[in-house]
Amino acid sequence: MPRKEWTTPEQKQFLQAELLRYNNMVTKEYNRHFPTIFQDWCKRWPERATTFPELAVDALLTSKQEETLAEALSKRQDVSNATQIRLSY
């Protein structure tokens, strides 16, 4: 049975496009490349929208939802989780 993908089809397409850019880098300055990808990723898929897709952007969160969001943000900022995007290459 195939492993469940951690990305949506749109996220996978984004990473595949970045992979092409990554492979075609002339200078191979990878340390400059990844922060830009992470920034673009966070703009396209903000953690709040990812964590609570059913809520309107301006909806107030309950205290439990705020805790859940704080945990999700902490997890995203964890260096080991940033590796997930790098390993997609």
Side-chain angles (χ1 to χ4, degrees):
M1 178 183 228
R3 188 180 72 178
K4 183 178 184 256
E5 294 200 23
W6 64 273
T7 59
T8 65
E10 184 182 11
Q11 290 168 334
K12 185 175 182 177
Q13 185 178 11
F14 169 82
L15 290 173
Q16 288 172 335
E18 288 300 327
L19 177 59
L20 287 174
R21 241 181 281 173
Y22 178 84
N23 286 335
N24 292 321
M25 289 178 67
V26 175
T27 61
K28 305 299 181 197
E29 293 179 2
Y30 304 122
N31 289 336
R32 291 185 178 188
H33 183 73
F34 283 112
T36 303
I37 291 173
F38 298 141
Q39 224 174 20
D40 290 347
W41 181 277
C42 292
K43 284 179 187 174
R44 289 174 147 227
W45 297 284
E47 199 61 43
R48 179 183 163 129
T50 302
T51 305
F52 303 111
E54 72 284 355
L55 294 179
V57 176
D58 57 350
L60 293 176
L61 300 179
T62 65
S63 59
K64 178 63 178 161
Q65 288 170 324
E66 287 180 4
E67 287 176 24
T68 302
L69 181 57
E71 289 173 18
L73 287 168
S74 177
K75 189 175 179 182
R76 172 178 273 185
Q77 292 169 355
D78 182 355
V79 175
S80 65
N81 287 313
T83 303
Q84 195 172 34
I85 290 177
R86 288 183 184 197
L87 292 177
S88 296
Y89 286 102

